[in-house]
Amino acid sequence: MIRIATGVGLPFRDDAVLEALADTGARVRVDVPLGDCTTIRLGGRASILVQPQRLDELVWVLKKSHRLGLELVVLGGGSNLVVVAEHVPATVLHTRRLDWIVPEAGGLRCGAGASLVGAIKRAMSNHLAGLEGLSGIPGTVGGAVYMNAGGRHAEMGEFVRSVTVIERDGGAREIPGTEIDWSYRSANLGDAIVAEVRLTMPFGAPHRLRRRYDEILAEKAASQPLSAWSAGCVFKNPAGASAGRLIDVSGCKGMEVGGAQVSPVHANFIVNTGGGRPGDFRSLMARVQETVHRSHGVRLEPEVVIWS
Ligand code: FAD
Ligand code: EPU
């Protein structure tokens, strides 16, 4: 049975491809505005977006795409992503429905599309300590592993017992967390797709974990524009320095291009003030880079992922 939600304005339409993807059991949508799937709320459209709900559907999507020669890009919670392209020239694999969180001895087993906040809350209620250090980070568990999300209080890699990844040809393997090359904002997993994650944590008293969660969230709410539309920090911190501080002291806070603005709260966030367009974000990013380079001689590297 074909389950295709039909949209309008699709630049091309290949019914054989749509049918092959729908045959996997995954939900297939066409002509999807990706601004709705990203926290910065801007960006172009996906001609095809596929949402598997089970691991076997995910494997089938990958096998079929590989056979058909389709290029796939992966979308989690869209909280570290800016879609600049008007039409993404690839099939978008959206992990949102791979959303299970299952407590197991000393940890949790999570689908890649499970919300990180949901996993943190489940860990706390199951007396599992540490993950609350990632308080304030949106997105999915799969995205947090792929990006090795974190900050001052914790990094995702610290809690990973193993990751089940699916390669682009559909081959699956489980990698122990100790064999992953964790680095600043990357698990160095290349093309592999994070399908399921096993987390391991020591015991902690729920009221203490909750207090730490609230404290970290309050600290972030005071220094970051958590409720604005953004993709988090735009640039990586250069070795031994803070990109936010460099941007701030270079005088960029409040700088605007169209509907994109350097946040007056934290200078390493570019926020969409409403009606922001991808081009605005791109231009403002370049302007910030130039300004910091001129005043401090430092070339800031993007931390956000850009689909152009
Ligand atoms: P997406 O944005 O959907 O994708 C990011 C990248 O990961 C893309 O390249 C995508 O292809 C890839 N990806 C996603 N899922 C998978 C998968 N299953 N398999 C393979 N590749 C995948 N980040 C921090 O590290 N620390 C912070 O403190 C922090 N604070 C933030 C605060 C705010 C308000 C916002 C908006 C963002 C913040 N971020 C922070 C950035 C972001 O939340 C994290 O990077 C998050 O882990 C990204 O997860 P995601 O599911 O949204 O990934
Ligand atoms: N600062 C300024 N002006 C600003 C912003 C920051 O002077 O506009 C100063 C602060 O006062 C502080 C220093 O810069 O002295 C560092 O700032 P902060 O504590 O906010 O940390 P950060 O290095 O800017 C990093 C991560 C954040 C993460 C926080 C907390 C990067 C690029 N950023 O920010 O991650 O939430 O630590 O752990 O690594 C993200 O990756 O998207 C993100 C938000």
Side-chain angles (χ1 to χ4, degrees):
M1 214 233 335
I2 306 176
R3 282 187 281 147
I4 300 171
T6 312
V8 289
L10 187 65
F12 72 88
R13 188 185 172 119
D14 185 329
D15 287 340
V17 166
L18 291 176
E19 194 158 333
L21 291 172
D23 275 351
T24 63
R27 181 184 292 159
V28 181
R29 298 174 58 203
V30 295
D31 196 28
V32 180
L34 291 173
D36 294 350
C37 307
T38 61
T39 53
I40 195 163
R41 305 232 152 240
L42 54 80
R45 306 176 84 87
S47 299
I48 306 178
L49 182 138
V50 195
Q51 298 173 317
Q53 191 171 22
R54 302 193 320 240
L55 286 182
D56 61 333
E57 290 177 358
L58 173 61
V59 168
W60 269 112
V61 166
L62 287 161
K63 283 191 170 161
K64 291 234 175 166
S65 303
H66 186 66
R67 262 184 238 149
L68 292 164
L70 296 180
E71 198 194 327
L72 278 186
V73 288
V74 187
L75 172 66
S79 64
N80 204 40
L81 185 65
V82 181
V83 181
V84 170
E86 208 172 301
H87 285 283
V88 174
T91 299
V92 176
L93 170 62
H94 194 194
T95 61
R96 195 173 68 93
R97 295 169 79 221
L98 301 165
D99 61 355
W100 56 91
I101 301 175
V102 183
E104 53 181 24
L108 298 176
R109 181 168 56 84
C110 304
S115 102
L116 179 61
V117 173
I120 296 171
K121 289 187 173 164
R122 190 66 79 85
M124 293 191 299
S125 61
N126 281 274
H127 304 235
L128 298 166
L131 209 59
E132 74 286 351
L134 300 175
S135 168
I137 305 181
T140 62
V141 170
V145 167
Y146 191 81
M147 297 298 304
N148 190 19
R152 192 172 21 262
H153 303 284
E155 279 190 349
M156 191 66 184
E158 295 168 35
F159 311 106
V160 174
R161 188 202 303 265
S162 69
V163 180
T164 300
V165 297
I166 319 284
E167 302 295 345
R168 296 291 165 139
D169 62 2
R173 68 197 165 100
E174 191 173 352
I175 313 174
T178 49
E179 287 178 18
I180 293 177
D181 178 17
W182 302 104
S183 63
Y184 173 51
R185 293 300 192 273
S186 178
N188 297 297
L189 288 171
D191 262 359
I193 288 150
V194 176
E196 190 176 61
V197 180
R198 287 199 138 91
L199 300 170
T200 176
M201 284 159 270
F203 172 86
H207 68 281
R208 289 221 179 86
L209 307 181
R210 186 78 219 189
R211 194 183 319 131
R212 183 164 181 251
Y213 176 87
D214 289 342
E215 282 167 5
I216 295 172
L217 196 57
E219 175 191 303
K220 287 196 173 172
S223 61
Q224 298 180 359
L226 290 189
S227 53
W229 291 345
S230 83
C233 284
V234 175
F235 299 104
K236 289 182 181 161
N237 283 340
S242 156
R245 203 188 73 79
L246 286 172
I247 300 166
D248 188 354
V249 298
S250 302
C252 299
K253 250 185 185 169
M255 192 184 261
E256 283 177 304
V257 174
Q261 182 194 44
V262 176
S263 167
V265 180
H266 192 298
N268 201 8
F269 283 65
I270 290 181
V271 298
N272 175 4
T273 57
R277 290 195 306 236
D280 300 338
F281 179 89
R282 226 10 205 293
S283 307
L284 184 54
M285 206 176 150
R287 204 183 277 182
V288 167
Q289 272 172 315
E290 276 162 34
T291 309
V292 170
H293 187 243
R294 227 182 304 116
S295 56
H296 287 84
V298 176
R299 279 230 178 271
L300 293 177
E301 296 291 329
E303 199 236 270
V304 290
V305 176
I306 295 181
W307 288 355
S308 51

